[in-house]
mmCIF file of all heavy atoms in Angstrom:
data_model
loop_
_atom_site.group_PDB
_atom_site.id
_atom_site.type_symbol
_atom_site.label_atom_id
_atom_site.label_comp_id
_atom_site.label_asym_id
_atom_site.label_seq_id
_atom_site.Cartn_x
_atom_site.Cartn_y
_atom_site.Cartn_z
ATOM 1 N N MET Q 234 13.638 -25.052 8.285
ATOM 2 C CA MET Q 234 13.646 -23.803 7.530
ATOM 3 C C MET Q 234 15.069 -23.434 7.140
ATOM 4 O O MET Q 234 15.336 -23.037 6.016
ATOM 5 C CB MET Q 234 13.072 -22.663 8.377
ATOM 6 C CG MET Q 234 11.620 -22.787 8.698
ATOM 7 S SD MET Q 234 10.625 -22.429 7.278
ATOM 8 C CE MET Q 234 10.846 -20.685 7.183
ATOM 9 N N MET Q 235 15.961 -23.575 8.107
ATOM 10 C CA MET Q 235 17.354 -23.186 7.873
ATOM 11 C C MET Q 235 17.936 -24.007 6.719
ATOM 12 O O MET Q 235 18.483 -23.450 5.762
ATOM 13 C CB MET Q 235 18.150 -23.423 9.145
ATOM 14 C CG MET Q 235 19.607 -23.130 9.002
ATOM 15 S SD MET Q 235 20.445 -23.536 10.541
ATOM 16 C CE MET Q 235 22.122 -23.301 10.023
ATOM 17 N N ALA Q 236 17.785 -25.341 6.790
ATOM 18 C CA ALA Q 236 18.382 -26.196 5.765
ATOM 19 C C ALA Q 236 17.752 -25.928 4.407
ATOM 20 O O ALA Q 236 18.454 -25.830 3.394
ATOM 21 C CB ALA Q 236 18.210 -27.661 6.150
ATOM 22 N N PHE Q 237 16.426 -25.773 4.387
ATOM 23 C CA PHE Q 237 15.755 -25.584 3.101
ATOM 24 C C PHE Q 237 16.125 -24.241 2.485
ATOM 25 O O PHE Q 237 16.344 -24.135 1.274
ATOM 26 C CB PHE Q 237 14.241 -25.697 3.285
ATOM 27 C CG PHE Q 237 13.489 -25.716 1.995
ATOM 28 C CD1 PHE Q 237 13.653 -26.766 1.102
ATOM 29 C CD2 PHE Q 237 12.635 -24.689 1.656
ATOM 30 C CE1 PHE Q 237 12.979 -26.789 -0.098
ATOM 31 C CE2 PHE Q 237 11.952 -24.707 0.458
ATOM 32 C CZ PHE Q 237 12.117 -25.761 -0.417
ATOM 33 N N THR Q 238 16.233 -23.195 3.319
ATOM 34 C CA THR Q 238 16.601 -21.879 2.799
ATOM 35 C C THR Q 238 18.014 -21.905 2.226
ATOM 36 O O THR Q 238 18.263 -21.375 1.138
ATOM 37 C CB THR Q 238 16.502 -20.823 3.918
ATOM 38 O OG1 THR Q 238 15.209 -20.904 4.504
ATOM 39 C CG2 THR Q 238 16.727 -19.432 3.384
ATOM 40 N N ILE Q 239 18.938 -22.545 2.938
ATOM 41 C CA ILE Q 239 20.317 -22.623 2.428
ATOM 42 C C ILE Q 239 20.331 -23.397 1.103
ATOM 43 O O ILE Q 239 20.985 -22.995 0.139
ATOM 44 C CB ILE Q 239 21.245 -23.287 3.465
ATOM 45 C CG1 ILE Q 239 21.395 -22.386 4.684
ATOM 46 C CG2 ILE Q 239 22.618 -23.583 2.855
ATOM 47 C CD1 ILE Q 239 22.206 -22.987 5.797
ATOM 48 N N SER Q 240 19.568 -24.477 1.060
ATOM 49 C CA SER Q 240 19.513 -25.283 -0.156
ATOM 50 C C SER Q 240 18.980 -24.455 -1.329
ATOM 51 O O SER Q 240 19.546 -24.471 -2.428
ATOM 52 C CB SER Q 240 18.620 -26.499 0.102
ATOM 53 O OG SER Q 240 18.413 -27.199 -1.081
ATOM 54 N N ALA Q 241 17.900 -23.703 -1.095
ATOM 55 C CA ALA Q 241 17.329 -22.866 -2.154
ATOM 56 C C ALA Q 241 18.325 -21.793 -2.582
ATOM 57 O O ALA Q 241 18.476 -21.500 -3.768
ATOM 58 C CB ALA Q 241 16.037 -22.221 -1.666
ATOM 59 N N ALA Q 242 19.047 -21.216 -1.606
ATOM 60 C CA ALA Q 242 20.007 -20.155 -1.924
ATOM 61 C C ALA Q 242 21.132 -20.684 -2.806
ATOM 62 O O ALA Q 242 21.541 -20.023 -3.767
ATOM 63 C CB ALA Q 242 20.570 -19.567 -0.630
ATOM 64 N N ILE Q 243 21.611 -21.894 -2.501
ATOM 65 C CA ILE Q 243 22.685 -22.461 -3.327
ATOM 66 C C ILE Q 243 22.165 -22.753 -4.730
ATOM 67 O O ILE Q 243 22.861 -22.528 -5.732
ATOM 68 C CB ILE Q 243 23.271 -23.728 -2.666
ATOM 69 C CG1 ILE Q 243 23.928 -23.356 -1.331
ATOM 70 C CG2 ILE Q 243 24.317 -24.381 -3.565
ATOM 71 C CD1 ILE Q 243 24.414 -24.536 -0.543
ATOM 72 N N ALA Q 244 20.907 -23.224 -4.823
ATOM 73 C CA ALA Q 244 20.306 -23.428 -6.145
ATOM 74 C C ALA Q 244 20.255 -22.099 -6.897
ATOM 75 O O ALA Q 244 20.456 -22.059 -8.114
ATOM 76 C CB ALA Q 244 18.911 -24.026 -6.008
#
Side-chain angles (χ1 to χ4, degrees):
Chain Q
M234 293 286 288
M235 177 183 173
F237 188 65
T238 307
I239 293 176
S240 173
I243 296 174

